[in-house]
PDB file of all heavy atoms in Angstrom:
ATOM      1  N   HIS A 135     -24.841   6.977 -18.159  1.00  0.00           N
ATOM      2  CA  HIS A 135     -24.871   5.481 -18.225  1.00  0.00           C
ATOM      3  C   HIS A 135     -23.541   4.905 -18.766  1.00  0.00           C
ATOM      4  O   HIS A 135     -23.284   3.840 -18.725  1.00  0.00           O
ATOM      5  CB  HIS A 135     -26.119   4.945 -18.997  1.00  0.00           C
ATOM      6  CG  HIS A 135     -26.024   5.236 -20.420  1.00  0.00           C
ATOM      7  ND1 HIS A 135     -26.343   6.428 -20.984  1.00  0.00           N
ATOM      8  CD2 HIS A 135     -25.701   4.393 -21.496  1.00  0.00           C
ATOM      9  CE1 HIS A 135     -26.252   6.313 -22.267  1.00  0.00           C
ATOM     10  NE2 HIS A 135     -25.803   5.154 -22.615  1.00  0.00           N
ATOM     11  N   LEU A 136     -22.844   5.864 -19.627  1.00  0.00           N
ATOM     12  CA  LEU A 136     -21.646   5.455 -20.271  1.00  0.00           C
ATOM     13  C   LEU A 136     -20.242   5.923 -19.596  1.00  0.00           C
ATOM     14  O   LEU A 136     -19.361   5.199 -19.491  1.00  0.00           O
ATOM     15  CB  LEU A 136     -21.758   6.016 -21.604  1.00  0.00           C
ATOM     16  CG  LEU A 136     -20.554   5.632 -22.624  1.00  0.00           C
ATOM     17  CD1 LEU A 136     -20.507   4.088 -22.800  1.00  0.00           C
ATOM     18  CD2 LEU A 136     -20.809   6.349 -23.924  1.00  0.00           C
ATOM     19  N   GLY A 137     -20.373   7.035 -18.972  1.00  0.00           N
ATOM     20  CA  GLY A 137     -19.127   7.606 -18.515  1.00  0.00           C
ATOM     21  C   GLY A 137     -18.403   6.771 -17.510  1.00  0.00           C
ATOM     22  O   GLY A 137     -17.145   6.666 -17.666  1.00  0.00           O
ATOM     23  N   TRP A 138     -19.115   6.349 -16.391  1.00  0.00           N
ATOM     24  CA  TRP A 138     -18.459   5.615 -15.482  1.00  0.00           C
ATOM     25  C   TRP A 138     -17.953   4.131 -16.048  1.00  0.00           C
ATOM     26  O   TRP A 138     -16.852   3.747 -15.370  1.00  0.00           O
ATOM     27  CB  TRP A 138     -19.360   5.411 -14.198  1.00  0.00           C
ATOM     28  CG  TRP A 138     -20.617   4.493 -14.359  1.00  0.00           C
ATOM     29  CD1 TRP A 138     -21.772   5.002 -14.837  1.00  0.00           C
ATOM     30  CD2 TRP A 138     -20.587   3.189 -14.253  1.00  0.00           C
ATOM     31  NE1 TRP A 138     -22.595   3.895 -14.823  1.00  0.00           N
ATOM     32  CE2 TRP A 138     -22.016   2.790 -14.447  1.00  0.00           C
ATOM     33  CE3 TRP A 138     -19.709   2.141 -13.758  1.00  0.00           C
ATOM     34  CZ2 TRP A 138     -22.405   1.465 -14.352  1.00  0.00           C
ATOM     35  CZ3 TRP A 138     -20.243   0.901 -13.619  1.00  0.00           C
ATOM     36  CH2 TRP A 138     -21.603   0.514 -13.850  1.00  0.00           C
ATOM     37  N   ARG A 139     -18.616   3.730 -16.987  1.00  0.00           N
ATOM     38  CA  ARG A 139     -18.130   2.439 -17.598  1.00  0.00           C
ATOM     39  C   ARG A 139     -16.830   2.575 -18.282  1.00  0.00           C
ATOM     40  O   ARG A 139     -15.910   1.845 -18.243  1.00  0.00           O
ATOM     41  CB  ARG A 139     -19.265   1.850 -18.517  1.00  0.00           C
ATOM     42  CG  ARG A 139     -20.569   1.553 -17.757  1.00  0.00           C
ATOM     43  CD  ARG A 139     -21.513   0.973 -18.762  1.00  0.00           C
ATOM     44  NE  ARG A 139     -22.857   0.832 -18.129  1.00  0.00           N
ATOM     45  CZ  ARG A 139     -23.153  -0.245 -17.372  1.00  0.00           C
ATOM     46  NH1 ARG A 139     -22.249  -1.181 -17.156  1.00  0.00           N
ATOM     47  NH2 ARG A 139     -24.307  -0.369 -16.649  1.00  0.00           N
ATOM     48  N   VAL A 140     -16.661   3.777 -18.978  1.00  0.00           N
ATOM     49  CA  VAL A 140     -15.469   4.044 -19.622  1.00  0.00           C
ATOM     50  C   VAL A 140     -14.385   4.246 -18.648  1.00  0.00           C
ATOM     51  O   VAL A 140     -13.148   3.826 -18.919  1.00  0.00           O
ATOM     52  CB  VAL A 140     -15.555   5.221 -20.622  1.00  0.00           C
ATOM     53  CG1 VAL A 140     -14.234   5.509 -21.360  1.00  0.00           C
ATOM     54  CG2 VAL A 140     -16.571   4.937 -21.622  1.00  0.00           C
ATOM     55  N   MET A 141     -14.605   4.860 -17.534  1.00  0.00           N
ATOM     56  CA  MET A 141     -13.635   5.160 -16.530  1.00  0.00           C
ATOM     57  C   MET A 141     -13.017   3.909 -15.963  1.00  0.00           C
ATOM     58  O   MET A 141     -11.723   3.856 -15.728  1.00  0.00           O
ATOM     59  CB  MET A 141     -14.266   5.904 -15.335  1.00  0.00           C
ATOM     60  CG  MET A 141     -14.790   7.268 -15.606  1.00  0.00           C
ATOM     61  SD  MET A 141     -15.676   7.994 -14.208  1.00  0.00           S
ATOM     62  CE  MET A 141     -16.294   9.538 -14.820  1.00  0.00           C
ATOM     63  N   TYR A 142     -13.848   2.889 -15.942  1.00  0.00           N
ATOM     64  CA  TYR A 142     -13.277   1.499 -15.455  1.00  0.00           C
ATOM     65  C   TYR A 142     -12.782   0.710 -16.559  1.00  0.00           C
ATOM     66  O   TYR A 142     -11.787   0.008 -16.347  1.00  0.00           O
ATOM     67  CB  TYR A 142     -14.469   0.680 -14.795  1.00  0.00           C
ATOM     68  CG  TYR A 142     -14.603   1.181 -13.358  1.00  0.00           C
ATOM     69  CD1 TYR A 142     -15.937   1.747 -12.945  1.00  0.00           C
ATOM     70  CD2 TYR A 142     -13.706   0.912 -12.415  1.00  0.00           C
ATOM     71  CE1 TYR A 142     -16.144   2.028 -11.690  1.00  0.00           C
ATOM     72  CE2 TYR A 142     -13.936   1.348 -11.033  1.00  0.00           C
ATOM     73  CZ  TYR A 142     -15.162   1.838 -10.714  1.00  0.00           C
ATOM     74  OH  TYR A 142     -15.345   2.295  -9.404  1.00  0.00           O
ATOM     75  N   GLY A 143     -13.382   0.964 -17.760  1.00  0.00           N
ATOM     76  CA  GLY A 143     -12.845   0.160 -18.999  1.00  0.00           C
ATOM     77  C   GLY A 143     -11.347   0.363 -19.276  1.00  0.00           C
ATOM     78  O   GLY A 143     -10.662  -0.424 -19.578  1.00  0.00           O
ATOM     79  N   VAL A 144     -10.957   1.709 -19.140  1.00  0.00           N
ATOM     80  CA  VAL A 144      -9.501   1.939 -19.413  1.00  0.00           C
ATOM     81  C   VAL A 144      -8.622   1.245 -18.401  1.00  0.00           C
ATOM     82  O   VAL A 144      -7.330   1.194 -18.645  1.00  0.00           O
ATOM     83  CB  VAL A 144      -9.269   3.549 -19.424  1.00  0.00           C
ATOM     84  CG1 VAL A 144     -10.007   4.274 -20.600  1.00  0.00           C
ATOM     85  CG2 VAL A 144      -9.634   4.186 -18.179  1.00  0.00           C
ATOM     86  N   GLY A 145      -9.199   0.872 -17.178  1.00  0.00           N
ATOM     87  CA  GLY A 145      -8.358   0.190 -16.313  1.00  0.00           C
ATOM     88  C   GLY A 145      -7.895  -1.245 -16.708  1.00  0.00           C
ATOM     89  O   GLY A 145      -7.094  -1.808 -16.055  1.00  0.00           O
ATOM     90  N   VAL A 146      -8.453  -1.729 -17.774  1.00  0.00           N
ATOM     91  CA  VAL A 146      -7.967  -2.983 -18.416  1.00  0.00           C
ATOM     92  C   VAL A 146      -6.548  -2.855 -18.957  1.00  0.00           C
ATOM     93  O   VAL A 146      -5.929  -3.893 -18.979  1.00  0.00           O
ATOM     94  CB  VAL A 146      -9.070  -3.407 -19.400  1.00  0.00           C
ATOM     95  CG1 VAL A 146      -8.617  -4.845 -20.066  1.00  0.00           C
ATOM     96  CG2 VAL A 146     -10.357  -3.632 -18.830  1.00  0.00           C
TER      97      VAL A 146
END
Side-chain angles (χ1 to χ4, degrees):
H135 71 281
L136 181 62
W138 67 269
R139 297 182 186 278
V140 178
M141 292 175 190
Y142 280 113
V144 295
V146 176

